[in-house]
Amino acid sequence: MLAPVAGNDAGMQHDPAVPGAGSAGVRAGVDRMPASRWWEPWELRAEFSRRLSELYGREVPAYATLRAVSREINAEVLESRGADARRLGAVGRVGAERHGAVRVGTPREMNQVGRLFAAMGMHPVGFYDLRDAAASAVPVVSTAFRPVDPAELARNPLRMFTSLLVPGDRRFFTAELRRRLEAFLAARTLFPPRLLELADRAIAGNGLDAGDAEEFLTLAADALRLSRAPVDRAWYTELERVSAVAADIGGVRATHLNHLTPRVLDIDELYRRMGERGVEMIDAIQGPPRWAGPDLLLRQTSFRALAEPRRFRHADGTITAGTLRVRFGEVEARGIAATPRGRELYERLSADADRLAAEAARGSPVSAAHRAEIAADLWNRHVPGSESELARADLAYFTYTATDRRPAGPPPARLRDLVEQGWVRQDPIVYEDFLPRSAAGIFQSNLDGAGSRDADQSGAALDAGWLAEVLDRAPHDPYALYDDLRRTSLDRAAEQLDLAHHIDASPSSDSSPGAPA
Ligand code: OOG
Ligand code: NI
């Protein structure tokens, strides 16, 4: 039977209530869940997220500090910025929000972890190829498992950034090392058959009864717990020379949560306060700079991987105590989702900032603070500084809702006029995904060695279609998801306003930025 959930994460925001949704008795702020009832996928997800947070807080104490500081800052920002801060997420959601990162070694393991997450209502979104995104050796491709439906995101938005090792990439692995690595990976079991059986049952039946739910959640969290089994020293070191990420994935017989990332409403303040508390952070905040306009996309930073005790087995059979630095703590601030145009602008300005910072440094290492200044200046000059301008230039995604208090007379045709005259309200869509540049930066900044790469070899070509075969289902295209939200809201608004036609939000039928109104 599922044990009542104790409120041992005092002060933690519980998952928000969704009116009319979920089983009776599961509400925001309710610590105790009835023991015998049906567990829907979202409840499994919310409880899994809570258990992971507890587990990681025990395993990596600096994470508990990060969580506490995030909570402190979120409360302050909500107090000082109120409704404005809530535009990017309901209070309950932001407090409960986190993403995890896991890494697996084979397509089979990827398929299995996908079933585990599907049982909790999390689906693959996006395809990230980090092999070329990092200067260090990061031989993985990734996807993010997350809820895709807005109501599901509101219930609990847990996402898992999941990376799959590519032993077949000849830039990193010789044919001989690949053979041994694949043999090692084929011989291990990350997810016990019983866990997968329960996952499949939850997928088929849309949830689990209380007894199965408890067993499923226990086995699922155990699968991501740091293993105490001794690590083969020689094998780990051999892989580490190629890539620290490869060693973390393929040098051990289990997987583990690599990090767990809370969401914070002011990441610059968090960065400062963690420093004050003596936690050494990486030298930059990844993603867009702090600038004058609204939060866009995703900004992330992390504290450096900490030395954790591990046991090592040596060639002569002896076991010694040692440490590994692999797991870290990350925190993120989420902003408005960018359209393909907005994303292009982001990539262009990032590249410009890199170039200008490198030029200014004249061969010396680029200072992160100086690069941030340059980036902020570029953003302030080239990115429209308000939500309405971002929407009009089709740089970011919004939803539209007909208001209750509408002006007299017939509604205008253009979306822009509908918004400006108060017929429809425009609300930002939060970015729910990741940025490959930032992901690579996070991986890289936490690696001790750069590893090695043979640039004469070419990489194995992998894409979203290949990942679809691995997972037995196609990853969602994130843009299609955001676009669908915008489109659906526009259609509903048109209906509510009794407009015979659709509302066209495309910038061509509206004005572009800078054009005379
Ligand atoms: C994943 C790194 C990427 C993010 O937030 O961009 C990531 C990993 O370290 O396994 O988590
Ligand atoms: Ni992360």
Side-chain angles (χ1 to χ4, degrees):
M1 294 290 274
L2 192 73
V5 175
N8 42 6
D9 187 3
M12 177 177 152
Q13 287 282 355
H14 283 261
D15 306 302
V18 174
S23 311
V26 179
R27 298 190 313 275
V30 174
D31 284 332
R32 293 178 181 282
M33 297 179 173
S36 59
R37 59 170 179 79
W38 190 254
W39 282 66
E40 289 184 28
W42 80 266
E43 293 168 299
L44 295 172
R45 177 169 77 249
E47 178 59 13
F48 183 62
S49 172
R50 214 188 55 76
R51 289 190 188 193
L52 282 186
S53 185
E54 247 175 65
L55 172 71
Y56 206 57
R58 270 199 311 274
E59 290 185 339
V60 181
Y63 164 73
T65 308
L66 192 64
R67 198 177 53 186
V69 175
S70 304
R71 195 181 294 147
E72 187 179 291
I73 291 174
N74 289 346
E76 288 169 18
V77 172
L78 287 166
E79 173 83 31
S80 65
R81 294 216 315 257
D84 191 35
R86 279 182 191 94
R87 280 180 77 62
L88 290 171
V91 182
R93 180 187 145 166
V94 171
E97 185 154 350
R98 54 185 65 87
H99 84 249
V102 287
R103 306 162 172 183
V104 297
T106 65
R108 185 160 167 272
E109 291 171 356
M110 188 69 162
N111 180 284
Q112 294 177 340
V113 84
R115 279 150 66 195
L116 201 69
F117 295 144
M120 303 183 225
M122 297 152 75
H123 311 287
V125 180
F127 175 81
Y128 303 85
D129 194 336
L130 301 184
R131 294 173 298 166
D132 293 313
S136 306
V138 181
V140 301
V141 294
S142 316
T143 189
F145 292 94
R146 68 166 176 89
V148 294
D149 196 69
E152 283 290 312
L153 284 160
R155 284 166 173 161
N156 183 283
L158 177 68
R159 17 176 129 60
M160 289 298 231
F161 192 88
T162 307
S163 300
L164 168 59
L165 188 66
V166 189
D169 195 314
R170 290 296 295 273
R171 291 171 299 180
F172 305 101
F173 306 97
T174 62
E176 195 272 331
L177 181 57
R178 172 189 186 175
R179 195 183 46 70
R180 283 187 291 130
L181 179 52
E182 286 181 339
F184 180 93
L185 292 167
R188 72 181 187 182
T189 302
L190 297 187
F191 309 105
R194 175 68 181 156
L195 173 59
L196 296 171
E197 185 190 318
L198 289 167
D200 291 342
R201 183 176 304 172
I203 296 166
N206 196 43
L208 292 172
D209 69 31
D212 285 348
E214 173 57 34
E215 192 181 358
F216 171 76
L217 289 163
T218 302
L219 290 172
D222 275 350
L224 300 189
R225 192 185 295 277
L226 193 66
S227 162
R228 293 176 194 281
V231 176
D232 182 327
R233 183 74 258 188
W235 176 233
Y236 197 95
T237 304
E238 182 180 0
L239 287 174
E240 220 175 9
R241 275 197 287 270
V242 172
S243 155
V245 176
D248 180 47
I249 299 173
V252 290
R253 297 206 176 274
T255 187
H256 41 251
L257 193 59
N258 178 269
H259 60 264
L260 196 62
T261 301
R263 180 168 162 193
V264 71
L265 293 170
D266 185 345
I267 196 168
D268 301 280
E269 180 57 22
L270 178 124
Y271 189 90
R272 210 183 52 71
R273 250 180 244 187
M274 289 297 283
E276 266 174 22
R277 292 200 181 201
V279 178
E280 191 195 349
M281 305 296 281
I282 63 172
D283 64 1
I285 294 175
Q286 312 273 337
R290 181 185 196 92
W291 72 303
D295 289 347
L296 275 173
L297 290 167
L298 176 65
R299 301 180 69 208
Q300 301 178 307
T301 190
S302 62
F303 60 72
R304 289 190 189 282
L306 306 169
E308 292 183 276
R310 299 268 190 110
R311 291 188 304 145
F312 292 98
R313 179 182 297 107
H314 300 271
D316 62 2
T318 55
I319 305 238
T320 58
T323 60
L324 284 181
R325 269 176 197 278
V326 188
R327 308 201 304 161
F328 51 88
E330 183 192 43
V331 66
E332 66 190 11
R334 291 194 168 263
I336 312 174
T339 60
R341 264 171 97 150
R343 180 60 177 275
E344 232 170 78
L345 182 58
Y346 165 66
E347 299 294 346
R348 186 156 57 76
L349 295 180
S350 300
D352 288 352
D354 286 346
R355 186 176 44 76
L356 293 171
E359 280 168 19
R362 298 163 186 260
S364 322
V366 171
S367 121
H370 189 219
R371 187 197 176 276
E373 257 170 53
I374 292 174
D377 176 60
L378 286 171
W379 273 61
N380 289 332
R381 283 191 290 127
H382 297 290
V383 185
S386 71
E387 286 185 13
S388 42
E389 288 169 301
L390 288 165
R392 288 204 302 266
D394 191 33
L395 293 170
Y397 287 108
F398 297 83
T399 57
Y400 299 88
T401 319
T403 54
D404 299 335
R405 280 179 286 134
R406 296 163 203 161
R414 292 196 318 171
L415 176 60
R416 169 184 186 159
D417 298 328
L418 286 169
V419 174
E420 277 173 9
Q421 294 172 23
W423 293 83
V424 301
R425 201 183 70 224
Q426 175 174 286
D427 295 305
I429 300 179
V430 177
Y431 189 56
E432 305 288 354
D433 295 290
F434 293 85
L435 296 170
R437 265 175 76 100
S438 303
I442 295 278
F443 260 110
Q444 192 166 311
S445 56
N446 273 291
L447 303 180
D448 274 341
S452 63
R453 175 191 322 232
D454 180 352
D456 293 340
Q457 302 284 346
S458 54
L462 303 175
D463 58 16
W466 174 83
L467 185 62
E469 277 174 36
V470 168
L471 294 171
D472 288 325
R473 56 198 174 136
H476 292 272
D477 170 0
Y479 292 117
L481 294 175
Y482 297 119
D483 210 57
D484 196 48
L485 288 178
R486 175 168 70 178
R487 188 73 259 158
T488 312
S489 78
L490 281 168
D491 289 347
R492 201 180 310 122
E495 212 177 277
Q496 286 166 333
L497 295 175
D498 273 333
L499 296 177
H501 57 87
H502 291 295
I503 302 174
D504 192 353
S506 66
S508 51
S509 73
D510 221 64
S511 72
S512 42

